[in-house]
């Protein structure tokens, strides 16, 4: 959360709006009347607004309303529920520029990427609007005569959706849209660094005609909103995207209560560059992967694994490209890399620079916050490249979530695969090679949920499953129709029209039964 204390006199300067929670179709302040400030990380003197610093009183009321609303929403036919979502897609399209500007202002994502964030939500809206006419179950023969079996999807109940700030429109859309189409109701707790994007998304649902109480929004901290939300007995499913530490906590809370939980957590993604790769392409992939969204993506390329033979060639071109990156206010069209989200992030990245140097890695470029001139206004950090990193170092193991990437060298394909899979995470990875055999071996052996060949580690699409192996999550996938495994229950239905008591496993309807 961006703290008011970071900005001198911030409260005095709140000239903009005071925002509310959205519960049961009404915009309401927190019961406590406390608030927190939303600040532009490109220019921290700009206060975007004040949002409710809610607590369990607000959460409980939102859950009560969501539980009540579930009774009617689950009965609305899915194609009708999906029509609301289709309208959401249409409104998102109309408001793309406005919303992208808010994304850019609120989190410091450059406009080009902010538009991509909103576009991902548009794609997701249309995808799930279509799912409303599918939500496929299946039929299968019964082992007994005059008996029919089919399997249906049914909603789960109240969903607690807890979302991060780095994709403040796209990631909430991954969760909200399928949850709602499937017939669930929602309590939405967005990241407190990007509350305005969440507010606008909810307004769009309101404009699209979503009935009151289906979607409820509660702003505030993880400890005072997220925790009571995950703990509440009337919340049937929790979906969380964020850090592995918080994910573990949420899993523990939900595990104790036997509650369904889906966690999308960190990554330590890598780009592998083989000796036969198109180096210009590989360099572009690494620049985009490492420094897009200022490295604040779960899918950021935080390791570049280079074949020894091409290492120098690659690095010369790569460092040349890094030196040309324009860092600045995210709203400026010429900016390539915006600020990081807040002061804590800046400090955490800085700490990793010290760790890297203590571990003996070689800092090639960057390594410090930018504070001169206009940079002093925001939370800027120089794009950073470390060399001489080995797979055991913390630099190569831990998610940094900033514009920092590490170069690791290999000599054999076995070594490359070993380094690639040597972290506790397994979200995305990529290989650059012109050799089909190397590419397929990588596809086979990479322990990552999303694998790219001759493309960057970034590039999720709405209709493809997204998620990872190992500590990246707890085995679920978002995106595509796979997400309905989180937001629906399977209901097995058996209709016996024989008019007599048939006993599965006991009645003899084998091929020989006629003879008896
Ligand atoms: C994330 O980094 O949290 O493919 C999600 C991508 C993006 C989504 C990333 N479209 O990297």
């Amino acid at each position: 959360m961006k703290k008011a204390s970071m900005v001198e006199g911030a409260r005095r300067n709140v000239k903009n709006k005071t925002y509310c929670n959205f519960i049961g179709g009404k915009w309401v302040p927190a019961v406590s009347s406390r608030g927190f400030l939303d600040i532009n990380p490109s220019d921290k003197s700009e206060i975007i607004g004040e949002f409710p610093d809610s607590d369990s009183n607000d959460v409980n009321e939102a859950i009560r309303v969501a539980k009540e609303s579930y009774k009617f929403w689950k009965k609305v036919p899915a194609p009708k529920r999906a029509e609301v979502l289709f309208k959401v897609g249409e409104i998102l399209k109309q408001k793309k520029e406005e919303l992208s500007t808010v994304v850019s202002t609120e989190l410091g994502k450059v406009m080009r990427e902010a538009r991509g964030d909103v576009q991902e939500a548009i794609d997701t809206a249309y995808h799930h609007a279509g799912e409303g006419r599918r939500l496929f179950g299946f039929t299968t023969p019964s082992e007994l005569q005059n008996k029919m079996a089919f399997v249906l999807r049914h909603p789960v109940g109240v969903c607690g959706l807890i979302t991060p700030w780095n994709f403040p429109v796209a990631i909430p859309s991954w969760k909200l849209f399928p949850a709602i189409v499937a017939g669930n109701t929602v309590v939405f707790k967005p990241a407190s660094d990007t509350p305005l994007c969440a507010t606008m998304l909810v307004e769009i649902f309101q404009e699209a005609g979503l009935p009151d109480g289906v979607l409820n929004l509660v702003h505030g901290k993880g400890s005072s909103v997220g925790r009571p939300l995950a703990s509440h007995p009337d919340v049937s499913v929790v979906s969380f995207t964020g850090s592995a530490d918080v994910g573990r906590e949420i899993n523990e809370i939900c595990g104790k209560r036997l509650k369904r939980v889906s966690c999308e957590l960190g990554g330590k993604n890598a780009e592998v560059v083989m000796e036969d790769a198109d180096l210009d392409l590989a360099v572009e992939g690494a620049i985009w992967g490492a420094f897009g969204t200022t490295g604040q993506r779960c899918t950021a390329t935080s390791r570049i694994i280079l074949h020894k033979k091409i290492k120098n060639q690659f690095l010369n071109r790569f460092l040349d490209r890094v030196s040309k990156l324009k860092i600045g206010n995210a709203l400026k069209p010429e900016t390539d890399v915006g600020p990081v989200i807040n002061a804590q992030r800046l400090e955490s990245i800085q700490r990793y620079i010290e760790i890297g140097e203590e571990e003996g890695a070689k800092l090639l470029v960057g390594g410090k916050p930018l504070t001169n001139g206009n940079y002093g206004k925001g939370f800027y950090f120089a794009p950073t490249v470390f060399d001489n990193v080995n797979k055991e170092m913390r630099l190569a193991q831990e998610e940094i979530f900033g514009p920092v990437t590490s170069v690791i060298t290999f000599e054999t394909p076995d070594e490359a695969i070993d380094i690639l899979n040597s972290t506790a995470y397994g979200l995305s990875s990529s290989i650059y090679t012109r050799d089909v055999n190397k590419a397929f071996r990588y596809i086979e052996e990479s322990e990552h949920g999303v694998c790219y060949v001759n493309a960057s580690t970034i590039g999720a699409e709405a209709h493809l499953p997204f998620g990872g192996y190992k500590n990246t999550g707890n085995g679920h996938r978002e995106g595509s129709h796979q997400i309905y495994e989180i937001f629906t229950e399977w209901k097995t239905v058996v209709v016996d029209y024989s008019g007599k008591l048939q006993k599965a496993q006991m009645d003899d309807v084998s091929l020989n039964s006629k003879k008896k």
Side-chain angles (χ1 to χ4, degrees):
M1 189 181 288
K2 294 166 203 158
K3 294 209 182 71
S5 58
M6 283 170 348
V7 183
E8 233 178 282
R11 209 159 262 281
R12 244 190 359 252
N13 292 337
V14 182
K15 54 179 186 295
N16 292 308
K17 278 185 77 174
T18 300
Y19 292 87
C20 284
N21 291 329
F22 186 68
I23 301 178
K26 292 193 178 63
W27 294 96
V28 290
V31 172
S32 71
S33 310
R34 282 194 308 266
F36 67 88
L37 296 180
D38 183 22
I39 291 159
N40 176 353
S42 291
D43 180 351
K44 55 195 176 189
S45 68
E46 189 188 327
I47 311 300
I48 295 164
E50 183 168 6
F51 288 81
D53 188 3
S54 316
D55 59 30
S56 56
N57 292 313
D58 309 287
V59 176
N60 292 345
E61 176 57 9
I63 294 171
R64 190 192 63 74
V65 167
K67 189 180 174 190
E68 189 55 32
S69 309
Y70 177 62
K71 290 182 194 158
F72 83 89
W73 185 242
K74 69 176 177 185
K75 291 194 176 146
V76 175
K80 290 286 157 205
R81 296 193 295 247
E83 279 173 21
V84 176
L85 202 51
F86 185 79
K87 278 197 202 131
V88 167
E90 295 291 278
I91 301 168
L92 276 168
K93 234 161 104 177
Q94 283 161 20
K95 299 199 167 166
K96 182 171 173 181
E97 206 53 24
E98 188 192 340
L99 192 49
S100 305
T101 307
V102 174
V103 171
S104 186
T105 311
E106 206 172 32
L107 96 88
K109 187 179 276 203
V110 297
M111 270 305 278
R112 232 179 6 264
E113 292 185 46
R115 290 188 191 103
D117 199 316
V118 177
Q119 185 59 45
E120 204 163 330
I122 296 168
D123 300 341
T124 304
Y126 292 143
H127 176 76
H128 291 290
E131 281 302 325
R133 288 196 175 266
R134 283 186 289 266
L135 281 180
F136 290 138
F138 60 92
T139 61
T140 185
S142 166
E143 58 191 34
L144 291 168
Q145 291 169 343
N146 300 322
K147 195 174 172 193
M148 191 177 284
F150 51 95
V151 185
L152 299 174
R153 287 191 185 273
H154 195 261
V156 188
V158 177
C159 304
L161 307 183
I162 307 174
T163 59
W165 46 263
N166 66 334
F167 281 82
V169 183
I171 293 182
S173 80
W174 292 359
K175 300 181 196 293
L176 289 170
F177 296 177
I180 288 172
V181 165
N184 304 291
T185 54
V186 170
V187 177
F188 172 29
K189 184 253 175 275
S192 43
D193 281 301
T194 48
L196 185 53
C197 289
T199 302
M200 288 179 72
L201 204 48
V202 170
E203 282 170 355
I204 288 171
F205 266 106
Q206 208 185 1
E207 193 181 331
L210 187 74
D212 294 348
V214 175
L215 170 56
N216 305 279
L217 168 71
V218 184
H219 291 288
K221 293 189 273 285
S223 54
S224 44
V225 177
R227 181 180 281 276
L229 181 59
S231 316
H232 200 290
D234 290 337
V235 171
S236 307
V237 51
V238 176
S239 173
F240 168 76
T241 298
S243 72
D245 287 344
V246 176
R248 248 178 227 114
E249 245 184 273
I250 290 182
N251 259 285
E252 277 167 24
I253 293 172
C254 295
K256 279 196 191 116
R257 292 160 179 80
L258 297 177
K259 190 177 288 200
R260 184 185 293 215
V261 57
S262 153
C263 285
E264 182 56 56
L265 309 172
K268 193 66 196 174
N269 320 293
E271 173 178 310
V272 178
V273 186
M274 304 307 277
E275 70 274 33
D276 58 46
D278 175 338
L279 286 191
D280 287 330
L281 198 61
V283 164
E284 284 314 306
I287 290 284
W288 171 230
F291 305 120
T293 321
T294 321
Q296 301 169 112
R297 298 197 190 211
C298 312
T299 53
T301 310
S302 53
R303 298 179 297 151
I304 306 175
I305 305 175
L306 298 178
H307 193 286
K308 203 175 171 192
K309 275 194 198 145
I310 49 87
K311 177 183 169 183
N312 289 342
Q313 255 180 302
F314 178 97
L315 270 183
N316 288 341
R317 296 186 209 182
F318 185 65
L319 293 176
D320 179 53
R321 283 286 282 109
V322 174
S323 70
K324 290 183 178 135
L325 289 172
K326 291 197 180 65
I327 299 129
N329 190 311
L331 283 168
K332 295 208 169 133
E334 67 273 19
T335 301
D336 296 309
V337 181
V340 299
I341 187 72
N342 57 30
Q344 292 100 295
R345 192 95 300 281
L346 212 53
E347 279 163 29
S348 165
I349 298 166
Q350 178 94 55
R351 177 77 195 111
Y352 272 103
I353 306 302
E354 289 160 19
I355 290 169
E357 288 184 316
E358 281 158 19
E359 285 181 313
K362 185 173 164 200
L363 182 63
L364 294 180
V365 63
K368 49 184 187 315
L370 299 171
T371 49
N372 287 344
N374 276 345
Y375 287 133
K377 291 184 178 173
F379 306 115
Y380 295 96
F381 201 93
T384 300
V385 183
F386 275 103
D387 191 10
N388 296 349
V389 175
N390 67 49
K391 66 176 187 181
E392 281 89 24
M393 288 180 183
R394 287 182 64 189
L395 268 189
Q397 287 293 331
E398 296 174 20
E399 186 174 49
I400 300 174
F401 228 66
V404 179
T405 193
S406 294
V407 172
I408 311 176
T409 316
F410 69 92
E411 288 184 62
T412 67
D414 282 350
E415 234 185 304
I417 295 286
D418 175 53
I419 298 166
L420 176 68
N421 291 335
S422 66
T423 79
Y425 294 109
L427 182 52
S428 75
S429 65
S430 88
I431 192 169
Y432 281 80
T433 179
R434 290 180 170 111
D435 181 336
V436 69
N437 297 341
K438 291 194 177 95
F440 274 87
R441 176 167 179 207
Y442 152 78
I443 293 167
E444 175 68 31
E445 296 196 24
S446 168
E447 292 170 355
H448 295 87
V450 191
C451 294
Y452 293 99
V453 176
N454 293 327
S456 180
T457 58
I458 290 171
E461 295 181 24
H463 58 295
L464 294 171
F466 182 88
Y469 289 33
K470 302 191 265 186
N471 291 359
T472 287
N474 60 346
H476 294 285
R477 292 293 182 270
E478 304 206 292
S480 80
H481 58 278
Q482 287 289 326
I483 189 133
Y484 291 98
E485 298 306 314
I486 301 165
F487 292 124
T488 58
E489 288 282 6
W490 279 116
K491 185 177 281 188
T492 299
V493 183
V494 179
V495 181
D496 189 324
Y497 53 97
S498 68
K500 60 184 183 196
L501 177 66
Q502 300 201 82
K503 294 180 185 147
Q505 292 91 39
M506 280 166 261
D507 287 358
D508 185 4
V509 284
S510 65
L511 293 178
N512 296 327
S513 61
K514 225 174 144 191
K515 291 183 193 157
K516 285 182 193 163

